[in-house]
Amino acid sequence: MLPFQDLRLTNAAMMESYIAAAQEVLRSGRYINGESVRKFESDMEKDSGAKFCVAVSNGLDALRLILRGYKALGRLRVGDEVIVPANTFIATFLAVTDCGLKAVAADVDETTFCLDFRRLPLSERTRAVIPVHLYGNPCWNAGVFAGLRSRGILIIEDNAQAIGALSAEEGFNGSRNTGNLGDAAAISFYPAKNIGAFGDAGAVLTNDADLAAAVRKLANYGSAEKYVHELCGLNCRMDEIQAALLSQKLLTLSDVIFRRRKAAGLYEKEITNPEVIRPAIMSDGSRQVWHQYVVRHPRRDDLRKYLAENGVATEIHYPVPCHLQPCYKDNPAVSCPGPLPVAERLASEVLSLPIADVSRSDITLVADLINKFN
Ligand SMILES: *Cc1c(COP(=O)(O)O)cnc(C)c1O
C-alpha cells in the first residue's frame, strides 16, 4: 500500500534533532512567549525577506488575525468585500466571514488552479483580495495587484501551501518570495504542509510595522504590556515547543522543495495516459513548490477507486467548492456575483497523487497504473 502521506516517514530523517529540541523546551520551564518563538520568527524573517513575522496558533488564525489587525487599524470595516478564490481550503473563507467581512467568491483559472485575473469580481465595495498560492503554485499578477493597491485595496496572501515558492513577477517590495509579495501573508504549519509542525501552528508575515504590532497584540489578549488590553484580543500564540521544532524543520525547506519538484518532474514524464490532464509545469521563472500534485480526469471517482484497489491512496483537494459548502448555504456572508464554472468543474475532476516522500519507484508504480487505466 502506498499511503498518501505517512508523517512518520516525513519526520524520520531529522527525528533525533526534533527530540533534542523538544527536550530542551520541556526542561526550560518556559512554554509560551519565550526564546524559541523569538528565534523562529527571526528565522522566518530571514527566509522570507519580510520585515516582521508573528508566530501564531495555526493558518486560519493567521488569516483571522491579519483581517482583525486591519480592522483595528481602520483599513477594513464590517461588511467590506474581500475577494477569495472558490477553489481553496475552507479556512480562507472562514477567516473572512468570521471577521464580519463579506467573502466574494471568484472563479479560478484551470491551468494554474488559482484566481483568474481576467475575471475578478471587483466592486466599489472591494477592500481586499486574498490570492491563494494553491498546491504551492504562486498566484501573482504584478500589474493587476499594483492597480488594485493604488485604489487602496489590500492584497493578503494565503501562503498556507506555498512556503518557499517564488513568483515570476515581483511583489510590492521587489521580492519574489510568496509570503512577501503583498501587504501581508498567512502561513500554515499544519503537520501535512510542506513544513509541518507537530500539532497546529501558523505565522503572519508583513512589512507593515503597524499591522505586525496589531497582530502581535491581538494574538496575545490584545495586550503588548501585561494587564493593559488595548484591543479585544484572542489567545492565538504559537507554543514554544512548536517553535523550537519548526526552527529545526525549517532547515529542511530547500530539500523538501527539491524533492517535491523532482517528483513532479518525474510524474510529468511518466504519466502518458491521454485522458489524464497533468498540472502545468510553469517555465516563466516562478518556483512552484508542489504541496500537491493534482491531475484531472473526467471520471475522477473511477480513477480514484481503481488506484485504491491497486494499493495507491489519493486525495481530493477539494471535492466541494467553498461557496457550495453547507455553512454558506443561504448565508449572506458569502456572495457569488457571477457563475463559477471552472471551480465547480475542477471539484469533480481533480485528484491529488502522493508526492510527499515518494521514491522514484513509487512514482513509476503510480504512473504505470494510471497509464493502464481506461
Ligand atoms: C491549511 C490551509 C489553511 C489553514 O491552515 P491551518 O493551519 O490548518 O489552520 C488555510 N488556507 C489554505 C489554502 C490551507 O491549505
Side-chain angles (χ1 to χ4, degrees):
M1 186 75 197
L2 179 61
F4 186 71
Q5 178 171 19
D6 180 346
L7 290 169
R8 283 170 301 190
L9 188 58
T10 302
N11 294 324
M14 296 264 292
M15 188 51 80
E16 293 312 312
S17 68
Y18 299 140
I19 290 170
Q23 279 189 344
E24 204 177 309
V25 175
L26 294 181
R27 290 187 216 279
S28 74
R30 178 93 199 221
Y31 308 118
I32 296 283
N33 283 349
E35 277 314 300
S36 304
V37 164
R38 291 292 97 80
K39 169 160 192 320
F40 178 64
E41 289 176 341
S42 114
D43 293 346
M44 285 291 293
E45 287 159 3
K46 275 187 214 117
D47 270 25
S48 66
K51 282 204 194 110
F52 306 101
C53 171
V54 183
V56 302
S57 37
N58 58 62
L60 171 58
D61 284 347
L63 285 166
R64 293 167 68 213
L65 289 161
I66 291 168
L67 296 170
R68 282 178 186 240
Y70 280 127
K71 281 169 82 178
L73 297 174
R75 300 283 307 270
L76 291 175
R77 283 174 227 281
V78 169
D80 281 352
E81 292 185 357
V82 180
I83 294 177
V84 186
N87 179 34
T88 180
F89 181 54
I90 192 71
T92 322
F93 274 71
L94 291 175
V96 174
T97 58
D98 177 69
C99 291
L101 302 162
K102 179 169 248 178
V104 179
D107 209 1
V108 296
D109 178 285
E110 66 176 340
T111 310
T112 63
F113 301 106
C114 294
L115 278 179
D116 184 343
F117 288 101
R118 295 158 304 190
R119 294 185 296 140
L120 289 181
L122 291 158
S123 84
E124 63 277 18
R125 289 179 306 279
T126 307
R127 289 290 169 272
V129 179
I130 307 187
V132 179
H133 307 303
L134 199 72
Y135 311 147
N137 203 18
C139 175
W140 195 254
N141 183 312
V144 169
F145 284 148
L148 294 178
R149 189 183 208 209
S150 70
R151 292 159 55 184
I153 295 173
L154 296 161
I155 309 299
I156 300 164
E157 297 169 76
D158 182 336
N159 196 35
Q161 302 190 358
I163 186 169
L166 289 178
S167 104
E169 299 173 24
E170 289 179 0
F172 297 151
N173 74 342
S175 163
R176 290 172 51 222
N177 296 331
T178 62
N180 191 19
L181 298 169
D183 292 296
I187 301 194
S188 165
F189 302 106
Y190 176 75
K193 295 284 159 74
N194 285 15
I195 295 295
F198 296 76
D200 277 313
V204 171
L205 295 175
T206 185
N207 289 300
D208 178 339
D210 294 333
L211 180 70
V215 165
R216 192 175 288 290
K217 269 183 234 163
L218 285 167
N220 189 45
Y221 311 111
S223 163
E225 191 188 328
K226 203 168 184 186
Y227 302 129
V228 181
H229 302 276
E230 295 168 63
L231 301 171
C232 297
L234 302 162
N235 176 354
C236 296
R237 300 172 300 213
M238 184 188 286
D239 293 331
E240 281 286 290
I241 195 163
Q242 296 300 345
L245 290 163
L246 280 169
S247 280
Q248 292 299 314
K249 198 125 190 214
L250 207 51
L251 302 172
T252 69
L253 179 60
S254 58
D255 186 49
V256 168
I257 293 174
F258 176 80
R259 283 187 286 113
R260 284 176 182 256
R261 284 171 61 81
K262 192 160 168 201
L266 288 170
Y267 273 135
E268 163 71 14
K269 262 208 311 251
E270 297 193 14
I271 298 174
T272 53
N273 184 328
E275 276 210 290
V276 174
I277 303 176
R278 298 181 307 276
I281 295 199
M282 297 295 173
S283 55
D284 56 0
S286 63
R287 178 165 77 197
Q288 137 82 295
V289 295
W290 301 101
H291 175 56
Q292 303 297 350
Y293 184 85
V294 177
V295 299
R296 290 160 55 200
H297 193 284
R299 286 175 291 117
R300 184 269 316 277
D301 294 335
D302 294 343
L303 174 59
R304 183 171 198 219
K305 188 158 167 270
Y306 158 86
L307 288 171
E309 283 164 4
N310 286 281
V312 174
T314 57
E315 294 284 347
I316 298 171
H317 301 98
Y318 296 91
V320 180
C322 296
H323 62 289
L324 300 178
Q325 286 289 350
C327 63
Y328 290 136
K329 200 157 185 278
D330 304 317
N331 185 338
V334 168
S335 81
C336 302
L340 302 161
V342 179
E344 291 178 13
R345 180 158 43 78
L346 287 177
S348 69
E349 293 182 352
V350 291
L351 186 67
S352 306
L353 306 181
I355 188 156
D357 317 300
V358 285
S359 68
R360 224 208 129 101
S361 59
D362 294 334
I363 292 170
T364 303
L365 168 87
V366 176
D368 284 349
L369 282 170
I370 290 176
N371 294 340
K372 286 188 201 124
F373 177 74
N374 57 44

